[in-house]
């Protein structure tokens, strides 16, 4: 529910992960000499695992691309051409500084239920990929895109709808998914996954919201998390207390579609 036509600032609600370690080295380079496990010291040229005191982490091309299966916090991250990184379900990579993606293809793969939280700037020609699991068999899913210029899905039989609170109706969505806006996605195929690939959203993102209850509509707005990481709901509401009031509703299809 909204107090007035305004915009929401979502950036302050990005999930933060704190990790304390002793300062040992300032630059860590991945060589993957032993395995794909990020948390194995022998996979790093320095023989030590990077931490949130590391000035820079560099991922080079290797026969074993790193996989993160826990919560990791570092400062600056560089992925060079040929390098790849996977963040497993239930894990978080927090980059407190800047991220440079120098790959010629999608070099970061974030699984469903994983988070890639970027606090600083992003640069480079490479792309990031975010996996999203959807409920199928005539189910509706609420999605929001974590990447720039995310066009409606073509790899799966989906129908996309935006919410228009001026008429309290759902309208077909034919253009790109707007950062910060939610969308209802309907599919009649079986449960599966979709991989959104592109330049990840980062930095401060705001989205317009509106009240229309005085004009025959309602005050509900379908908004979405524009980041590739979980957000702190309490921080989100606190930062937007001048715009939001009442209750936030989360969609759970549950096989009912109502």
């Amino acid at each position: 529910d909204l107090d007035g036509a305004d915009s929401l600032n979502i950036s302050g609600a990005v999930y933060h992960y704190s990790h304390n370690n002793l300062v040992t080295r300032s630059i860590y380079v991945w060589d993957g000499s032993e395995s794909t496990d990020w948390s194995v010291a022998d996979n790093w040229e320095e023989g030590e695992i990077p931490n949130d005191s590391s000035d820079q982490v560099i991922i080079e091309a290797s026969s074993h691309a790193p996989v993160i299966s826990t919560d990791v916090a570092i400062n600056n991250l560089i992925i060079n051409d040929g390098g790849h990184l996977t963040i497993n379900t239930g894990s978080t990579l927090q980059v407190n500084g800047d991220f440079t993606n120098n790959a010629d293809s999608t070099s970061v793969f974030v699984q469903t239920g994983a988070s890639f939280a970027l606090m600083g700037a992003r640069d480079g020609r490479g792309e990031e990929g975010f996996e999203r699991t959807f409920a199928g068999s005539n189910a509706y899913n609420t999605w929001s895109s974590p990447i720039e210029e995310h066009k409606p899905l073509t790899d799966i039989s989906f129908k996309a709808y935006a919410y228009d609170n001026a008429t309290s109706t759902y309208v077909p969505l034919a253009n790109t998914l707007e950062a910060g806006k939610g969308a209802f996605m309907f599919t009649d195929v079986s449960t599966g996954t979709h991989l959104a690939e592109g330049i990840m959203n980062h930095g401060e993102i705001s989205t317009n919201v509106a009240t229309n209850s005085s004009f025959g509509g309602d005050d509900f707005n379908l908004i979405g998390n524009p980041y590739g990481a979980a957000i702190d709901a309490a921080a989100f509401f606190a930062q937007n207390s001048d715009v939001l009031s009442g209750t936030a509703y989360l969609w759970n299809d549950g096989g009912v579609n109502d």
Side-chain angles (χ1 to χ4, degrees):
D1 193 11
L2 303 167
D3 289 332
D6 214 321
S7 64
L8 300 175
N9 189 317
I10 306 175
S11 60
V14 173
Y15 169 77
H16 286 257
Y17 172 74
S18 178
H19 188 74
N20 295 319
N21 282 296
L22 295 175
V23 176
T24 53
R25 296 179 185 272
S26 60
I27 299 177
Y28 292 77
V29 179
W30 174 269
D31 62 24
S33 57
E34 296 295 324
S35 67
T36 63
D37 192 342
W38 175 286
S39 300
V40 172
D42 287 343
N43 284 321
W44 299 91
E45 287 186 0
E46 295 71 27
E48 298 173 359
I49 304 167
N51 53 65
D52 58 0
S53 297
S54 311
D55 290 335
Q56 195 172 85
V57 174
I58 302 174
I59 306 299
E60 300 284 3
S62 69
S63 58
H64 298 110
V67 176
I68 293 176
S69 299
T70 185
D71 291 333
V72 170
I74 58 177
N75 283 327
N76 301 296
L77 174 64
I78 297 175
I79 298 182
N80 285 327
D81 191 25
H84 292 86
L85 171 64
T86 297
I87 307 172
N88 276 344
T89 299
S91 306
T92 295
L93 171 62
Q94 179 173 311
V95 178
N96 294 317
D98 299 333
F99 169 48
T100 302
N101 191 341
N102 291 324
D104 282 330
S105 59
T106 301
S107 62
V108 180
F109 176 58
V110 184
Q111 293 185 347
T112 296
S115 289
F116 182 8
L118 174 60
M119 304 304 167
R122 187 210 174 279
D123 193 16
R125 61 183 181 272
E127 295 185 342
E128 296 77 53
F130 296 86
E131 180 188 67
R132 292 292 181 267
T133 299
F134 59 86
S137 302
N138 298 317
Y140 284 89
N141 301 258
T142 49
W143 279 7
S144 182
S145 177
I147 62 173
E148 300 175 1
E149 300 296 324
H150 190 171
K151 297 186 180 345
L153 310 181
T154 57
D155 60 337
I156 323 169
S157 177
F158 266 103
K159 294 180 181 178
Y161 298 89
Y163 184 69
D164 180 9
N165 70 359
T167 59
S168 300
T169 59
Y170 296 93
V171 295
L173 183 63
N175 299 317
T176 57
L177 302 181
E178 181 181 343
K181 293 291 188 183
F184 270 101
M185 315 293 287
F186 171 82
T187 181
D188 57 3
V189 301
S190 300
T191 299
T193 59
H194 167 69
L195 183 63
E197 298 177 280
I199 305 300
M200 65 185 293
N201 291 326
H202 61 285
E204 182 175 302
I205 294 176
S206 296
T207 185
N208 292 328
V209 293
T211 57
N212 279 297
S213 57
S214 300
F215 305 98
D218 60 57
D219 296 340
F220 290 100
N221 288 257
L222 183 57
I223 59 175
N225 175 11
Y227 302 108
I231 63 172
D232 185 322
F236 171 73
F237 275 99
Q239 187 166 5
N240 295 282
S241 59
D242 57 333
V243 180
L244 293 174
S245 65
T247 304
Y249 296 88
L250 302 179
W251 175 259
N252 181 2
D253 178 85
V256 178
N257 300 326
D258 190 4

